[in-house]
Amino acid sequence: MRRIAIAIMGTISGLVLLFSYHTSRNEGSVAVAASAPAVAGSSGSSGSSGSSGSSGSSGSSGAAPAAPAPQAAQGATAAGTYTGSSVMTRWGAVQVEITVADGKITAVQAVEYPQNNARDRQINAYALPVLAQEATQAQSAKIDAVSGATVTSDGYIQSLQSALDQAHL
């Protein structure tokens, strides 16, 4: 009888420890410097827009040049680089930057994404290039999420849509 009680208490203790273990800490995300140059003639600097990662919309201001507004009214999209809003996900902030030329998306790059631990880096090393390729091919934010990176994919798609809205695409 004593062995059964010890076995049950050991099992309960093990389950409590197992379920209380946190696999990832969401202490913020690290911003990556954008490799694309800023839009020519724009007064805002898009390379320093997402450095803190603590604000949900810190990178959306100053990313779009002043010139697209008059051209957007005429139905044309100005060429340039547009940074979407920073979207806070369960694992950290995600922010996307698009490059537009001749009214088409020519490049998509994640400028901020979760990289707090090895698992985040492993998932995003695979998922981000796939998402960028799909966005470039689809020329919209109507892309599929990457299996195994659903949370990051959802944030990516939201930030991508924000950038597309700024570019009037």
Side-chain angles (χ1 to χ4, degrees):
M1 193 68 166
R2 187 168 188 226
R3 288 183 187 178
I4 292 173
I6 292 172
I8 290 173
M9 292 305 288
T11 302
I12 291 172
S13 297
L15 287 173
V16 167
L17 290 172
L18 178 68
F19 289 121
S20 66
Y21 179 73
H22 297 285
T23 57
S24 177
R25 292 184 182 194
N26 189 8
E27 296 173 357
S29 62
V30 177
V32 176
S35 62
V39 177
S42 69
S43 61
S45 172
S46 64
S48 63
S49 59
S51 61
S52 69
S54 61
S55 173
S57 63
S58 65
S60 62
S61 65
Q71 293 176 354
Q74 299 170 358
T77 301
T81 302
Y82 301 87
T83 304
S85 61
S86 180
V87 178
M88 185 54 78
T89 68
R90 178 178 171 187
W91 306 117
V94 178
Q95 189 173 27
V96 176
E97 180 180 87
I98 62 171
T99 303
V100 178
D102 297 326
K104 293 191 176 203
I105 301 169
T106 58
V108 181
Q109 178 181 358
V111 293
E112 186 176 5
Y113 52 91
Q115 350 180 29
N116 298 325
N117 57 47
R119 184 69 177 145
D120 287 343
R121 290 186 293 274
Q122 178 185 19
I123 289 171
N124 290 324
Y126 169 74
L128 295 177
V130 171
L131 290 167
Q133 180 182 9
E134 285 199 22
T136 305
Q137 287 176 350
Q139 293 292 305
S140 74
K142 293 178 181 161
I143 59 176
D144 292 331
V146 174
S147 179
T150 308
V151 174
T152 300
S153 296
D154 291 343
Y156 190 97
I157 291 168
Q158 289 177 27
S159 183
L160 176 61
Q161 184 61 55
S162 172
L164 291 169
D165 291 345
Q166 289 178 25
H168 303 287
L169 292 176

